[in-house]
Amino acid sequence: MKKLFSVLVATALIAACGTTNTTTKSAETKKVTNDPVTYANTITSEDLKTALYTYASDEFQGRETGKPGQKLAINFLKEHYMKYGVPAAKSDGDYFQEVPLDILGTPDVKLGVNDKLFTYKEDFISLSSGKTDNFSLDEIVYAGFGIDDEKFSSYGDVNVKDKVVLIKSGEPKNADGIYTITGTSEGSKWSNMRQQFAAKRIAAKEKGAKAILFYFPEVYQMVVAQFGNASGRMTLSDNSEEAYFFLINTSLAKALLSDIETNDISNTIKTKMTLDYKNISEKVTSENVAAFIKGSEKPDEIIVISAHLDHEGVKDGKVYNGADDDGSGTVAVVEIAEAFAKAVKDGNGPKRSILFLNVTGEEKGLLGSRYYTDIDPIFPLENTVADLNIDMIGRIDPKRKSENRNYVYLIGSDKLSTELHNISEEVNTKYANVELDYTYNDENDPNRFYYRSDHYNFAKNNIPVIFYFNGTHDDYHQPSDTPDKIEYDLLENRTRLVFYTAWELANRENRIVADKAEKK
């Protein structure tokens, strides 16, 4: 008995010592793993390569929106999020957010003013997918420049609800060339070549306009050449609240208001107008994929990490694999999700929530991201802290003059939030040491990259953004954009940079301030 007792005591002491050591090691491990480097190191070129060789394979048929290859892509993403233990963002547990789309045919439109019938394409062109309808009226509303801004509004003295609204391009400025809205010689979004289309359409729609006639003579022929034949162009599906949106030429504009060139005063115009619109389109459904890690302390504040899941599909029997565009961004988002999931498993999950958003229809006109921001945000936009958007980060821009291949173009980081830009710089210096190149960080850059990826739909809603981009190359939108041409060490570095930036945004004490956002 004595010997047995001694053995039991010794065993107990050993067990106790073992327990103490394990507890200490566990505490030490947790302390170490709270360092983001631990999780960033799980993002490897090998894992990115393995994922991309599948995602950008011929099997996925170029991932064209609404086609079978795109369905393979969304299931690939769902399976990986489930494998890593990252739940669906939607409350019903579905990873897929349906995005209803129309494949447009040329609409059958008859538009008359004072018994004169105008001709489609020659006099006007539809820029939206309206519902089949017809109506006649005895007056329209002229809303000048069609601006609704805190510093100037064209809608102050007119009611446009359920009315047809006539607007024109540009914005007011004085004789010295100083713009009313900016107070400088530089115009605002209301006269920007591309931005004013969306800004003025949205302003009129929010005021309740039934139809919008936009006079922009400088671009009319160019737009007709580009969109005159619908030829399968894809848009978000029409809904009952959508306003018809027409670009009109000079003859139609002056039939409605003869002095439109010089008249900036909003008023009601007594005129007879008829519209008979027949929608000719094919319905198709695509999907965004949304996975979510809930924040431990500030769960209602959301960091979005986005990339588009689609590409060009198959043309003339050739698969457009889209390894760089945007297979590289897609697998980066998945790997970042895995890294955050491991942090959660270790008890070091982010304080703020992270939404991993793979959007559809980017190649068709940023449709998936626009559906998310403008129609059906899973989480309120006012709770969205920032969008880190990744589109093409696996290659090198051959036109870039610097010999440092370890770079990434950053676009938009300073547009809405000084803090976001500074945090991005500081995080890179501390952890990643990637050369941050701002060559294309200019809204007036002729390449228009700021407007050409999904971050823009967040930015236009005053949500701070960073767009990570490697630039274009000879394989851009070609069947030769294949996974064997990806620089996987650069893809790893750039993906880790996005992770570190997201980690800082999610875990810092205070939410970043959008100090440059437009006040609404």
Side-chain angles (χ1 to χ4, degrees):
M1 289 291 293
K2 185 177 180 179
K3 184 176 180 180
L4 179 59
F5 178 78
S6 300
V7 170
L8 291 173
V9 170
T11 303
L13 287 171
I14 292 170
C17 290
T19 301
T20 301
N21 289 339
T22 301
T23 301
T24 303
K25 288 179 180 178
S26 177
E28 289 174 351
T29 300
K30 186 168 184 178
K31 183 177 180 181
V32 170
T33 55
N34 196 38
D35 183 347
V37 174
T38 301
Y39 303 109
N41 287 343
T42 68
I43 298 169
T44 66
S45 57
E46 291 80 7
D47 288 346
L48 291 161
K49 183 176 184 178
T50 298
L52 189 54
Y53 261 84
T54 298
Y55 194 75
S57 66
D58 286 353
E59 179 187 356
F60 281 60
Q61 303 170 44
R63 309 185 302 276
E64 184 176 1
T65 301
K67 295 296 180 67
Q70 181 252 320
K71 307 304 179 185
L72 291 174
I74 63 173
N75 282 299
F76 172 96
L77 294 167
K78 175 183 175 180
E79 289 167 4
H80 277 72
Y81 287 131
M82 292 180 68
K83 174 183 175 182
Y84 300 145
V86 184
K90 294 172 61 181
S91 59
D92 62 2
D94 189 354
Y95 285 89
F96 302 151
Q97 179 187 43
E98 287 196 0
V99 179
L101 302 167
D102 287 341
I103 301 175
L104 297 182
T106 302
D108 182 1
V109 189
K110 295 179 176 63
L111 193 158
V113 177
N114 295 326
D115 298 321
K116 178 180 179 181
L117 197 62
F118 286 83
T119 306
Y120 194 77
K121 287 200 295 184
E122 183 179 328
D123 298 311
F124 67 96
I125 185 170
S126 175
L127 297 180
S128 65
S129 175
K131 64 181 183 295
T132 296
D133 197 3
N134 65 82
F135 56 83
S136 61
L137 40 82
D138 296 320
E139 65 179 29
I140 67 170
V141 175
Y142 176 53
F145 292 112
I147 295 170
D148 188 31
D149 189 273
E150 63 172 357
K151 294 183 179 179
F152 177 88
S153 179
S154 304
Y155 294 96
D157 298 323
V158 294
N159 177 14
V160 302
K161 186 170 176 58
D162 297 323
K163 304 283 183 65
V164 172
V165 180
L166 172 65
I167 60 175
K168 65 179 180 178
S169 60
E171 61 180 303
K173 59 182 177 180
N174 65 23
D176 296 324
I178 302 301
Y179 287 89
T180 301
I181 293 173
T182 63
T184 71
S185 59
E186 295 291 327
S188 70
K189 69 179 181 181
W190 300 102
S191 60
N192 179 280
M193 181 69 75
R194 179 165 179 166
Q195 282 181 287
Q196 64 176 308
F197 276 89
K200 293 181 178 184
R201 176 176 174 269
I202 291 168
K205 178 182 175 183
E206 289 181 346
K207 294 291 183 181
K210 184 174 186 176
I212 306 155
L213 307 176
F214 185 25
Y215 179 49
F216 196 166
E218 296 86 354
V219 303
Y220 186 80
Q221 292 302 326
M222 178 183 69
V223 173
V224 169
Q226 186 173 0
F227 298 112
N229 295 313
S231 64
R233 186 163 61 91
M234 193 174 284
T235 70
L236 294 176
S237 286
D238 171 52
N239 61 71
S240 60
E241 297 181 355
E242 189 69 24
Y244 301 101
F245 187 39
F246 298 101
L247 186 67
I248 65 175
N249 74 351
T250 301
S251 61
L252 176 51
K254 290 191 174 183
L256 294 164
L257 184 64
S258 60
D259 63 346
I260 190 170
E261 302 279 5
T262 56
N263 187 342
D264 303 339
I265 301 172
S266 301
N267 58 70
T268 299
I269 303 171
K270 297 296 182 180
T271 189
K272 183 180 179 182
M273 176 180 161
T274 59
L275 179 69
D276 188 345
Y277 188 102
K278 184 178 180 181
N279 187 315
I280 300 175
S281 61
E282 175 189 347
K283 299 292 182 183
V284 65
T285 298
S286 191
E287 297 86 10
N288 293 333
V289 181
F292 186 70
I293 288 178
K294 187 175 181 179
S296 59
E297 296 182 16
K298 304 173 188 289
D300 292 335
E301 297 183 13
I302 315 295
I303 313 296
V304 179
I305 305 176
S306 61
H308 71 88
L309 62 88
D310 63 309
H311 194 56
E312 294 283 309
V314 180
K315 300 177 182 179
D316 298 323
K318 295 180 180 179
V319 178
Y320 286 62
N321 302 94
D324 193 24
D325 183 18
D326 186 28
S328 61
T330 300
V331 297
V333 172
V334 170
E335 286 296 299
I336 292 168
E338 182 184 15
F340 272 108
K342 288 180 178 178
V344 171
K345 187 176 181 181
D346 289 348
N348 295 311
K351 294 178 181 179
R352 291 180 178 83
S353 298
I354 312 286
L355 172 63
F356 304 97
L357 184 63
N358 303 99
V359 294
T360 189
E362 190 269 356
E363 302 290 0
K364 306 297 186 181
L366 314 185
L367 300 180
S369 56
R370 180 152 67 91
Y371 183 81
Y372 181 90
T373 59
D374 295 6
I375 297 175
D376 188 23
I378 297 172
F379 302 101
L381 295 187
E382 59 266 27
N383 292 354
T384 304
V385 175
D387 171 49
L388 307 181
N389 183 53
I390 315 171
D391 192 352
M392 300 176 62
I393 60 165
R395 296 281 294 270
I396 294 173
D397 182 355
K399 298 183 295 295
R400 191 169 179 271
K401 295 179 181 179
S402 172
E403 294 183 0
N404 183 6
R405 60 191 291 276
N406 185 29
Y407 77 97
V408 68
Y409 292 125
L410 287 197
I411 300 172
S413 63
D414 62 348
K415 300 300 182 191
L416 295 168
S417 173
T418 304
E419 270 188 293
L420 178 60
H421 178 74
N422 292 340
I423 288 167
S424 171
E425 289 275 348
E426 291 164 5
V427 164
N428 180 59
T429 299
K430 184 176 181 179
Y431 295 112
N433 197 31
V434 173
E435 181 183 333
L436 305 182
D437 189 326
Y438 297 99
T439 296
Y440 298 115
N441 188 42
D442 181 355
E443 295 175 38
N444 297 313
D445 174 72
N447 294 285
R448 313 289 292 162
F449 289 131
Y450 179 70
Y451 305 99
R452 286 171 55 182
S453 192
D454 296 293
H455 61 279
Y456 178 67
N457 282 319
F458 289 90
K460 76 181 187 185
N461 284 286
N462 281 334
I463 296 168
V465 301
I466 303 178
F467 172 24
Y468 300 86
F469 178 53
N470 56 222
T472 58
H473 40 72
D474 289 343
D475 301 309
Y476 174 64
H477 281 192
Q478 297 297 321
S480 50
D481 181 8
T482 50
D484 57 296
K485 296 178 181 176
I486 297 295
E487 310 270 356
Y488 287 96
D489 60 331
L490 299 183
L491 179 56
E492 175 187 284
N493 293 348
R494 294 160 177 171
T495 304
R496 289 182 179 185
L497 171 62
V498 181
F499 169 80
Y500 284 128
T501 306
W503 180 279
E504 174 60 27
L505 292 173
N507 289 298
R508 68 197 314 269
E509 184 62 28
N510 297 315
R511 172 177 173 167
I512 61 168
V513 176
D515 58 308
K516 298 181 180 180
E518 295 183 6
K519 295 180 180 179
K520 292 186 176 182

